[in-house]
Amino acid sequence: MRLYEHQAKDILKRYGIKIPVGTIVDTAEKIDFDKTPAVVKAQVLVGGRGKSGGIRFADNKDEMKKTVQQLLSENIRGETVKKVLVEEKLNIDHEFYLGITLDRDKGIPVVLASAKGGMDIEEVAMESPQSIIKRYIDPLWGFWDFDARKIIRDIGIKGKDLIEVTPVLSTLYKIFKEYDAELIEINPFVRTTEGTFFAADAKILIDDNSLFRHKEFEEQVQQEYNDLELRAKMKNIAYVDLDGNIGIIGNGAGLVMATIDTVTLYGGNPANFCDLGGGAEKDRVTNAIDIVLSNKNVKGVFINIMGGITRCDEIAKGIIEYKNIKRIDIPFVIRMVGTREDEGRKICESNGIPVMLTMDEAAKMIVRLVKEKECN
Ligand code: GDP
Ligand code: MN
């Protein structure tokens, strides 16, 4: 999950990294902030706010109020602005970039630092990658002040500035570890004309798999899911909405992704990702179908089961029970192999639901059935 700038900055501040003085508001009336000129920043999770009008400046309190009001009535690249951060405007002399992320190939953290920070960091990375320093962190060795100091020196910070900035980078690694972050970034990390350094922006992405260790974000995570996704979560089903019209259900994330790919390959458009997990019993199957069909775009359902601990007959019973109770006329195509596949197939076929042997056949069939339905 991604934290809002003001949340990330609060964390940085608690760990001793200097951030500009500021206040967070959700209505223009509530602002109680005297420092002008100020910068007024939309709190949204989409990136590139500066380039899409989400960062504005105000010279006096009147302007500050108006700008806050304006931003609160706007969308930044499709995201509604619910909160605004108002901060003292820094006199920027130079913008640096500091970040730590996980290198997924090597499976270890990597520090990225550059003297060319700011809004164009993506272009810098494309056009002059050599101006971004990249240093891997061996987690067993750790990340020591002298490791940090070397990097800071390499982006051109010297003398007493080096002493001020080095702990910022080592602290970033500390936060990265303690918050189970996938990414922590200060861009820009600013030197002011007065010669002080501030984190002018902050970004923290927390690994969703570690959220059980960070209960303080529980409520916020819930808000990121839509109703169907939440309903699924409560039933122990992994569900993600997609924008097509073919419902997909399978057991195991890899199998479900492969199913989505195969349906797409044959010209179909998956409506969701839905993973029953291992050893699903009848009830979990009916719940999953119910959730998938709650999406009114769904014109057909493809259930793909690789029986291991999951028993095909149990799945079949769930499907039939659901179809019999709800009397739906949406086509279902099943592919099931593995544990108790013969029993499962019999149950489906005696109820008029086709069972295919291969994922390929089944994918082609559901795509054809849904297309036919669309033509009618
Ligand atoms: P982002 O576009 O979402 O990354 O938003 P940032 O918070 O990084 O702001 C974008 C740009 O606005 C920065 O790179 C700065 O150039 C500028 N900016 C942000 N805060 C200040 C400030 O306090 N003073 C000045 N002069 N510029 C600022
Ligand atoms: Mn930024």
Side-chain angles (χ1 to χ4, degrees):
M1 81 175 293
R2 178 166 176 182
L3 302 185
Y4 288 97
E5 176 192 9
H6 71 94
Q7 295 177 302
K9 276 182 166 163
D10 282 347
I11 295 175
L12 261 48
K13 187 178 173 185
R14 252 194 300 115
Y15 280 75
I17 296 175
K18 229 184 279 169
I19 60 166
V21 183
T23 180
I24 181 91
V25 289
D26 55 8
T27 65
E29 288 70 43
K30 279 196 204 149
I31 320 175
D32 177 23
F33 192 68
D34 292 320
K35 289 202 180 316
T36 52
V39 49
V40 181
K41 313 182 82 179
Q43 298 299 288
V44 286
L45 298 176
V46 291
R49 291 170 305 170
K51 289 187 173 171
S52 29
I55 308 290
R56 295 182 197 169
F57 300 98
D59 286 330
N60 51 56
K61 286 189 78 172
D62 258 4
E63 238 179 85
M64 187 193 295
K65 202 166 169 176
K66 269 189 212 136
T67 314
V68 170
Q69 212 146 26
Q70 247 162 32
L71 273 179
L72 284 171
S73 68
E74 282 179 29
N75 274 318
I76 304 295
R77 293 173 55 201
E79 192 178 333
T80 322
V81 182
K82 294 188 188 127
K83 284 186 180 169
V84 171
L85 178 63
V86 184
E87 288 182 332
E88 59 175 325
K89 182 179 175 186
L90 303 170
N91 301 313
I92 299 182
D93 170 49
H94 194 93
E95 302 190 13
F96 297 88
Y97 174 96
L98 297 177
I100 302 175
T101 187
L102 203 61
D103 183 307
R104 292 188 184 275
D105 291 332
K106 293 198 197 294
I108 52 173
V110 57
V111 179
L112 301 166
S114 177
K116 294 188 176 171
M119 292 193 285
D120 294 322
I121 191 71
E122 273 84 15
E123 285 79 63
V124 172
M126 299 279 271
E127 284 153 25
S128 56
Q130 72 282 357
S131 48
I132 298 178
I133 288 173
K134 201 168 161 180
R135 296 280 154 74
Y136 292 98
I137 297 178
D138 176 344
L140 295 179
W141 164 252
F143 188 62
W144 300 78
D145 263 359
F146 60 88
D147 295 315
R149 194 178 308 126
K150 243 178 102 180
I151 297 173
I152 297 302
R153 190 186 292 128
D154 288 348
I155 58 171
I157 296 175
K158 298 186 206 74
K160 74 167 192 15
D161 289 349
L162 193 58
I163 297 166
E164 181 180 344
V165 175
T166 297
V168 173
L169 190 56
S170 27
T171 303
L172 271 192
Y173 183 60
K174 194 160 183 250
I175 302 173
F176 180 84
K177 272 193 312 187
E178 290 179 8
Y179 276 84
D180 297 300
E182 290 176 334
L183 170 77
I184 179 161
E185 185 182 273
I186 305 179
N187 185 36
F189 180 64
V190 155
R191 183 175 62 219
T192 62
T193 50
E194 297 83 15
T196 349
F197 288 85
F198 287 93
D201 187 13
K203 179 168 166 182
I204 297 179
L205 295 183
I206 297 176
D207 182 345
D208 285 353
N209 294 308
S210 75
L211 284 172
F212 69 97
R213 284 204 285 248
H214 307 285
K215 298 279 187 214
E216 69 267 38
F217 302 118
E218 210 159 40
E219 218 172 287
Q220 195 173 333
V221 177
Q222 309 261 318
Q223 288 164 7
E224 285 183 7
Y225 293 106
N226 67 28
D227 291 348
L228 281 186
E229 288 167 348
L230 264 185
R231 235 173 85 194
K233 223 174 146 60
M234 283 188 301
K235 303 279 185 197
N236 257 326
I237 295 164
Y239 175 94
V240 181
D241 248 346
L242 299 172
D243 52 15
N245 58 2
I246 299 179
I248 308 281
I249 298 173
N251 63 322
L255 180 67
V256 178
M257 285 193 272
T259 310
I260 289 175
D261 281 351
T262 311
V263 165
T264 310
L265 176 70
Y266 290 117
N269 232 330
N272 68 273
F273 167 101
C274 179
D275 175 13
L276 295 169
E281 295 186 345
K282 199 174 77 201
D283 287 350
R284 191 150 6 133
V285 178
T286 52
N287 280 326
I289 300 175
D290 201 47
I291 289 165
V292 166
L293 291 180
S294 304
N295 172 354
K296 293 302 163 211
N297 296 330
V298 172
K299 297 284 179 298
V301 178
F302 176 6
I303 302 180
N304 191 2
I305 302 298
M306 194 60 220
I309 27 171
T310 305
R311 291 168 33 174
C312 292
D313 57 338
E314 197 63 31
I315 303 281
K317 278 183 208 156
I319 299 170
I320 301 310
E321 182 177 303
Y322 191 87
K323 277 213 114 181
N324 286 343
I325 296 173
K326 302 274 178 170
R327 306 200 164 278
I328 26 163
D329 64 346
I330 284 177
F332 273 57
V333 172
I334 320 292
R335 178 259 187 163
M336 46 173 60
V337 291
T339 311
R340 302 226 185 185
E341 82 178 67
D342 291 339
E343 291 88 336
R345 180 171 312 122
K346 254 180 229 146
I347 298 174
C348 287
E349 283 174 348
S350 62
N351 282 278
I353 300 175
V355 179
M356 307 282 125
L357 270 181
T358 70
M359 170 153 75
D360 257 32
E361 278 177 289
K364 279 186 203 159
M365 177 134 179
I366 192 68
V367 171
R368 184 167 57 76
L369 292 175
V370 167
K371 289 225 161 107
E372 278 170 15
K373 235 177 126 80
E374 277 177 332
C375 293
N376 289 336

